[in-house]
């Protein structure tokens, strides 16, 4: 699907986004390992989370969905059954990487694959530590999916220092640690999103080389009720629109304010946007609240270091915002952006360039010299949901008309995106 968007004078209104994608995957996976009934309200409606659900069903987990409430009947961490066919993680890196951690501890063989994009994404980052724990996993020459995971010989705990900040790798190793003899310790020199640790109530301590999280084979997952917070990474697109379109003000209700995810709000503030956070409360162990962003004149900022994992998924929309800020915005230390659903450095730079921005590609990021405007153009989603949505917002803020090729990829995380966009646009 190609989506045509005309420049709009402003956006205004209140909106709710679907449940957070990272929390949703984990709620399903952790419920599947618990003994008993777990309930999940507000699960993400995106295709990625559906991929996790269908893999779990193939592994014999009982899952029902009635009126927005998902019920998972887990039978303990060793109760999966051998699937009849290959598991398909679709476009979802989180499904593949977290589930492989669990499958490494099972007594049967499985193969997990994904779509054309996921089959190109690096899996050595999980296969390395899982093999060190005693797992036997075979991938392609370049260690990409399909991954064939052989029946578990006895896994043993390791101490694993993450070479790059990644919540997917951290979670994969911790999940395998539930099946391993002895303790598994994951050390994070730079902290990434901590939903796994919060949801499994794992203790984190400060060690000499970073934050340490420990798990062992006597860990039992408890059945729970999960009320999934709204996804800040989805809300970010509209909050950015509120910041860059004149006379605009938008409010996202009930989004996660977990400090490992709120780098985007910190960047908005340092760019000079008006950000108001209200009704701060808790949902399933995560702080949540309502966030209002209204238009103001933005200025360029420098983004790098420990900030990157706190806003890794928001960098494409930050690139768009930077075009409307005065001065230069530089994003660096974000090399892993090249390994996401697309090479997001290339996607952001090429699309912004097509829209007339003053943008430069860096090895580990990009820099944008804000000119205060963009011009409508033909851009591409690069088969990447976050690029499709970031450039729809760019199109709203641009002069003229923008055509987003292959915009249907937004469905991966946010099927309601185009509907909410139309509702928030004010044209009179
Ligand atoms: C995620 C972690 C991040 C993020 C992805 C979701 C998760 O990936 O980009 O969208 O749910 O753990 P990395 O772990 O590769 O940084």
């Amino acid at each position: 699907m190609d989506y045509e968007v005309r420049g709009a004078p402003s956006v205004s209104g209140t909106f709710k986004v679907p449940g957070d994608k990272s929390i949703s995957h984990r709620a399903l996976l952790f419920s599947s390992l618990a003994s008993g009934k777990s309930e999940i309200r507000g699960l993400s409606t995106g295709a990625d989370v559906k991929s996790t659900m269908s893999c779990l069903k193939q592994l014999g987990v009982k899952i029902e969905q009635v009126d927005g409430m998902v019920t998972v009947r887990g039978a303990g961490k060793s109760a999966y059954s051998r699937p009849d066919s290959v598991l398909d993680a679709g476009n979802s890196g989180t499904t593949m990487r977290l589930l492989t951690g669990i499958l490494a501890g099972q007594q049967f063989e499985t193969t997990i694959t994904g779509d054309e994009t996921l089959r190109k994404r690096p899996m050595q980052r999980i296969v390395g530590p899982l093999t060190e724990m005693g797992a036997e996993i075979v991938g392609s020459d370049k260690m990409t999916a399909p991954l064939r995971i052989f029946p578990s010989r006895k896994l043993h705990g390791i101490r694993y220092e993450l070479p790059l900040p990644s919540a997917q790798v951290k979670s994969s190793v911790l999940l395998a640690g539930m099946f391993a003899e002895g303790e598994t310790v994951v050390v994070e020199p730079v902290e990434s999103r901590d939903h796994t640790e919060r949801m499994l109530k794992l203790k984190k301590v400060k060690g000499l080389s970073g934050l340490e999280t420990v798990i062992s084979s006597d860990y039992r997952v408890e059945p729970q009720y999960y009320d999934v917070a709204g996804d800040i990474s989805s809300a970010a697109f509209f909050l950015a629109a509120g910041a860059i379109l004149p006379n605009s003000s938008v409010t996202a209700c009930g989004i996660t304010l977990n400090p490992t995810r709120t780098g985007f709000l910190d960047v908005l503030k340092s760019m000079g946007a008006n950000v108001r956070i209200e009704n701060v409360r808790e949902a399933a162990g995560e702080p949540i609240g309502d966030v209002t962003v209204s238009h103001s004149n933005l200025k360029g900022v420098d983004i790098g270091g420990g900030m990157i994992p706190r806003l890794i998924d928001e960098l494409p929309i930050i690139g768009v915002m930077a075009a409307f800020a005065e001065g230069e915005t530089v994003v660096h230390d974000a090399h892993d952006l090249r390994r996401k659903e697309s090479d997001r450095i290339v996607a952001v730079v090429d699309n912004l360039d097509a829209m007339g921005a003053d943008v430069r590609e860096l090895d580990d990021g990009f820099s944008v010299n804000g000119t205060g405007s963009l011009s409508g153009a033909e851009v591409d989603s690069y088969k990447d949901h976050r690029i499709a949505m970031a450039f729809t917002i760019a199109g709203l803020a641009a002069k003229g008309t923008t055509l987003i090729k292959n915009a249907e990829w937004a469905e991966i995380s946010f099927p309601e995106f185009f509907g909410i966009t139309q509702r928030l646009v004010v044209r009179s």
Side-chain angles (χ1 to χ4, degrees):
M1 168 190 104
D2 297 342
Y3 189 78
E4 196 178 83
V5 54
R6 267 187 307 132
S10 61
V11 285
S12 164
T14 297
F15 63 95
K16 243 182 110 62
V17 286
D20 187 79
K21 184 159 83 67
S22 293
I23 299 175
S24 296
H25 283 298
R26 287 165 174 79
L28 284 169
L29 291 167
F30 302 164
S31 301
S32 78
L33 299 172
S35 295
K37 178 173 116 175
S38 294
E39 289 181 318
I40 310 169
R41 182 167 291 288
L43 196 75
S44 161
T45 46
D48 268 8
V49 170
K50 291 199 168 83
S51 295
T52 291
M53 206 184 296
S54 72
C55 288
L56 288 175
K57 285 182 178 168
Q58 268 183 274
L59 288 159
V61 181
K62 301 266 173 294
I63 306 177
E64 284 160 35
Q65 195 159 10
V66 181
D67 294 338
M69 178 72 94
V70 175
T71 305
V72 182
R73 287 172 215 278
K77 63 185 181 185
S78 299
Y80 285 2
S81 49
R82 183 169 206 242
D84 299 337
S85 51
V86 169
L87 301 175
D88 185 0
N91 191 246
S92 174
T94 309
T95 307
M96 180 167 288
R97 294 188 176 128
L98 270 60
L99 195 51
T100 299
I102 300 173
L103 294 172
Q106 304 298 317
Q107 296 306 318
F108 50 80
E109 184 186 320
T110 35
T111 299
I112 185 162
T113 191
D115 70 6
E116 200 190 331
T117 308
L118 184 56
R119 289 199 309 274
K120 290 193 188 119
R121 294 181 66 189
M123 293 299 146
Q124 179 57 31
R125 55 183 65 190
I126 55 160
V127 174
L130 295 177
T131 306
E132 219 183 296
M133 294 174 83
E136 200 183 336
I137 303 173
V138 174
S140 73
D141 294 350
K142 291 186 182 149
M143 197 42 87
T144 51
L147 298 180
R148 192 165 166 201
I149 305 151
F150 289 94
S152 165
R153 297 172 298 190
K154 194 73 203 136
L155 300 186
H156 52 85
I158 57 168
R159 182 181 168 83
Y160 189 65
E161 190 162 325
L162 288 169
L164 81 170
S166 165
Q168 292 179 353
V169 176
K170 166 174 66 177
S171 304
S172 184
V173 175
L174 288 171
L175 287 166
M178 274 189 208
F179 300 89
E181 210 166 86
E183 283 189 340
T184 297
V185 185
V186 177
V187 188
E188 287 184 280
V190 179
E191 195 178 19
S192 60
R193 64 192 67 191
D194 65 355
H195 305 299
T196 296
E197 300 91 301
R198 279 176 186 258
M199 294 167 78
L200 295 177
K201 301 189 180 64
L202 300 177
K203 258 229 315 270
K204 288 184 92 138
V205 292
K206 253 206 175 98
L208 282 178
S209 44
L211 283 173
E212 299 188 358
T213 311
V214 187
I215 199 162
S216 63
S217 62
D218 47 22
Y219 186 86
R220 298 278 169 275
V221 189
E222 296 298 328
Q224 277 185 53
Y225 171 70
Y226 297 97
D227 189 3
V228 182
D231 197 329
I232 188 170
S233 300
S234 299
F237 299 106
F238 301 121
L239 297 178
I244 58 181
L245 272 89
N247 305 314
S248 293
S249 179
V250 290
T251 302
C253 293
I255 60 172
T256 179
L257 294 176
N258 176 325
T260 61
R261 294 287 300 282
T262 48
F264 176 71
L265 300 182
D266 295 342
V267 163
L268 272 176
K269 287 180 203 158
S270 58
M271 291 180 93
N274 290 317
V275 181
R276 204 170 67 234
I277 300 176
E278 289 165 308
N279 291 326
V280 178
R281 51 205 190 270
E282 217 187 88
E286 298 269 341
I288 68 166
D290 305 336
V291 178
T292 302
V293 174
S294 42
H295 173 75
S296 58
N297 295 325
L298 302 182
K299 58 179 193 303
V301 286
D302 181 277
I303 306 170
M307 180 60 107
I308 295 295
R310 297 183 57 231
L311 44 62
I312 185 79
D313 294 336
E314 287 68 78
L315 288 170
I317 188 63
I318 288 174
V320 171
M321 278 171 24
F324 293 89
E326 197 186 323
E328 198 182 23
T329 294
V330 184
V331 171
H332 53 100
D333 302 323
H335 203 273
D336 216 36
L337 262 192
R338 296 195 184 273
R339 305 289 183 91
K340 295 290 177 188
E341 287 84 330
S342 68
D343 178 336
R344 287 186 176 158
I345 295 179
V346 167
V348 166
V349 169
D350 282 4
N351 282 344
L352 279 179
D353 183 58
M355 297 182 81
D358 181 0
V359 57
R360 200 158 50 90
E361 179 175 345
L362 308 175
D363 181 43
D364 61 348
F366 51 82
S367 80
V368 182
N369 206 352
T371 50
S373 69
L374 289 175
S375 309
E378 186 175 301
V379 295
D380 199 288
S381 75
Y382 287 73
K383 298 186 177 174
D384 180 332
H385 54 131
R386 302 209 193 275
I387 300 299
M389 295 187 276
F391 282 88
T392 301
I393 301 300
L396 279 183
K399 295 193 187 85
T401 300
T402 297
L403 185 74
I404 298 106
K405 305 282 287 177
N406 307 307
E408 72 280 6
W409 285 86
E411 300 258 331
I412 289 293
S413 59
F414 195 1
E416 301 82 350
F417 173 77
F418 293 108
I420 300 179
T421 304
Q422 279 164 15
R423 191 165 62 67
L424 294 178
V425 166
V426 180
R427 292 219 180 257
S428 57

